[in-house]
Amino acid sequence: MCEMISPLKFVVFLLVIHNSVENNDFSAGSLDFTVRFFKNFYNQSSNSIVSPISVRLALATIYQAAGSKLAPEIQQAIDLQQQSKEETAKNARNFIERINNDHLHVLFKAFKINDQLEPNFEKAIRAALSTDVETVDFQDTTLLSETINEWVSNATNNIIRDFVEEQSLEPNTEFMLINAVALKAEWASKFPADATRQVAFHYVNGDREVDMMRQVMTVPYRVTEDFHAAELAYSQESDLSMWIILPRGRGSLRDLVRMLSPEMIAGIRQGSKTILLTVELPRFSIRNEFDVRNVLEKMGHSNLFELADLEVFRGRRSEINDIFQSAVIVVDEDGTEASAASRVNVKWRSGPRPFFAHKPFIFFIQQRSTNTILFIGQYSNHED
């Protein structure tokens, strides 16, 4: 008799929005995964914002149900450091508790058919993610879409109210995991609104005028022959900052992405010196909706979706069907709203060193106390 294989619907949702650790075991391997994920997601024809740590947390949860064939594949894919399932669940939970604060929230929600979950997997979900598993009828796509959208709306303070459309839900789904990451933080030093002016941004697809924010500030700064980078802190209580990495000279964003590595990021952090800069940064907003499965397959992890080796439900095997992430970031004078997109030529003779983000750049948002990258992306294209 053939064993029944049920598709596992796996959805990851991310929201990054702004309104006008010590290292723990789960952090180990995070930087490597973040860099690999971003480089495989990168597309020079569009802007991007992704949260590899969000994907990593979700897959660490699915790892709890993995059999002997799939478990090592997940370990390899997300760089788990040979942890047992119990250790992984505990470390993931400790990590979530450590990063959650008034400015950053990581929330999970699980839905299942009316069937009994494998007890250890259900226990792990409750322990690692601090959430119950809600029983739903995946055949009733109307009610299910309303249920999901209500949860996402509540999790993101009503910023996104229509996360899923009814027709996008598959009736043969048996389990769904949704992850919401919401960030709301103000700059430690806000950009003065009256200093914002129209400046040319040299997009990959042509120059456009943008609203360019400007201020003089003392920040950590790292300069090399190929790039320079500056760290812009959010409010102290948020424990967050954004690094902006700009190519230098004739270097391009593509060159910068090519050379991006964990060692490069570590060098930026460790080799930075605090100096006085005149920082110019565009207001910008990015929204991505993408299939995480495609990225993981490009990274060489297609086995994650080919092995029916998940015991989500007692007595039968399931497989991961797809992984979805939606991400939004909005940056303005107050913190992390708008996008715009000519030219003001200024020659600096003395005073603070200029750090002008007038051309495509990479950015990442990190938790400062643990050096954990929460979001990473690039701003390179106008969308009009």
Side-chain angles (χ1 to χ4, degrees):
M1 173 181 272
C2 293
E3 186 178 22
M4 179 180 294
I5 305 300
S6 303
L8 176 63
K9 183 76 171 181
F10 179 27
V11 181
V12 178
F13 169 74
L14 161 70
L15 171 73
V16 189
I17 193 73
H18 174 73
N19 183 18
S20 137
V21 204
E22 65 193 48
N23 288 333
N24 56 47
D25 290 340
F26 192 79
S27 295
S30 176
L31 182 55
D32 287 348
F33 179 77
T34 293
V35 171
R36 290 192 298 117
F37 189 93
F38 172 71
K39 294 181 75 165
N40 280 275
F41 177 80
Y42 167 71
N43 183 335
Q44 67 172 353
S45 64
S46 62
N47 303 320
S48 68
I49 170 69
V50 296
S51 178
I53 192 67
S54 174
V55 175
R56 197 165 181 261
L57 279 167
L59 283 175
T61 304
I62 296 300
Y63 171 62
Q64 304 301 315
S68 59
K69 295 179 180 179
L70 184 59
E73 296 288 343
I74 294 178
Q75 283 184 318
Q76 180 183 15
I78 62 176
D79 295 303
L80 284 179
Q81 304 299 300
Q82 297 300 314
Q83 301 169 9
S84 69
K85 292 181 178 180
E86 293 77 10
E87 289 174 324
T88 300
K90 178 182 178 180
N91 291 334
R93 181 59 195 164
N94 289 341
F95 178 81
I96 292 172
E97 290 179 346
R98 186 182 299 276
I99 65 174
N100 272 344
N101 57 39
D102 291 340
H103 305 274
L104 178 67
H105 299 283
V106 179
L107 302 172
F108 285 84
K109 181 65 177 179
F111 300 99
K112 70 175 183 68
I113 60 174
N114 187 19
D115 207 345
Q116 185 176 0
L117 289 176
E118 197 284 321
N120 290 330
F121 178 60
E122 183 170 15
K123 180 181 178 181
I125 289 179
R126 296 178 189 276
L129 306 181
S130 190
T131 185
D132 292 328
V133 183
E134 183 174 344
T135 298
V136 297
D137 181 3
F138 285 97
Q139 302 287 328
D140 189 346
T141 55
T142 300
L143 179 59
L144 180 60
S145 62
E146 292 174 355
T147 301
I148 294 173
N149 287 332
E150 180 181 6
W151 185 85
V152 170
S153 178
N154 291 335
T156 62
N157 297 317
N158 298 316
I159 298 298
I160 289 188
R161 300 180 181 182
D162 300 308
F163 172 55
V164 298
E165 297 180 352
E166 180 181 347
Q167 58 268 30
S168 69
L169 297 173
E170 298 180 10
N172 64 342
T173 299
E174 64 174 16
F175 181 85
M176 180 182 292
L177 180 66
I178 301 178
N179 168 223
V181 182
L183 180 152
K184 179 180 179 181
E186 295 185 346
W187 298 119
S189 176
K190 295 184 181 181
F191 288 82
D194 58 4
T196 298
R197 58 197 178 118
Q198 291 285 295
V199 176
F201 192 95
H202 308 301
Y203 291 102
V204 170
N205 53 342
D207 291 3
R208 288 290 190 278
E209 287 193 351
V210 303
D211 288 332
M212 188 69 68
M213 307 181 296
R214 182 177 185 272
Q215 71 167 306
V216 176
M217 56 201 311
T218 301
V219 298
Y221 175 74
R222 168 74 164 160
V223 60
T224 71
E225 181 180 349
D226 300 311
F227 66 87
H228 57 154
E231 182 184 18
L232 309 185
Y234 294 103
S235 60
Q236 183 175 358
E237 62 271 16
S238 74
D239 192 26
L240 300 168
S241 68
M242 175 187 285
W243 275 96
I244 306 291
I245 312 174
L246 285 169
R248 293 189 70 212
R250 297 182 179 274
S252 67
L253 179 65
R254 179 183 292 182
D255 296 330
L256 199 57
V257 172
R258 187 180 299 117
M259 71 175 67
L260 188 68
S261 67
E263 293 76 20
M264 174 180 164
I265 291 177
I268 289 173
R269 290 164 168 162
Q270 297 168 8
S272 64
K273 296 182 179 179
T274 300
I275 69 170
L276 191 65
L277 293 181
T278 298
V279 175
E280 292 195 355
L281 179 69
R283 291 180 184 171
F284 68 93
S285 63
I286 304 171
R287 177 165 184 163
N288 285 148
E289 294 182 351
F290 65 99
D291 189 347
V292 175
R293 174 174 180 164
N294 291 338
V295 182
L296 291 172
E297 288 179 339
K298 286 180 65 178
M299 293 167 65
H301 303 304
S302 58
N303 280 348
L304 293 177
F305 308 96
E306 296 172 355
L307 293 172
D309 194 29
L310 285 172
E311 191 174 357
V312 173
F313 292 90
R314 175 179 286 179
R316 70 176 189 273
R317 293 287 170 175
S318 302
E319 62 185 9
I320 300 175
N321 185 30
D322 59 22
I323 305 174
F324 179 80
Q325 186 174 104
S326 176
V328 179
I329 184 170
V330 185
V331 177
D332 65 9
E333 288 88 347
D334 290 335
T336 292
E337 174 180 296
S339 119
S342 241
R343 187 173 310 273
V344 174
N345 294 324
V346 179
K347 184 175 181 179
W348 289 86
R349 299 174 183 239
S350 61
R353 180 191 292 265
F355 184 79
F356 295 165
H358 293 180
K359 59 184 179 181
F361 56 84
I362 292 174
F363 64 90
F364 62 86
I365 297 175
Q366 66 175 10
Q367 183 184 45
R368 303 184 83 185
S369 61
T370 64
N371 282 336
T372 300
I373 295 178
L374 304 169
F375 316 108
I376 187 170
Q378 104 276 350
Y379 186 63
S380 57
N381 290 260
H382 62 77
E383 300 177 350
D384 54 9

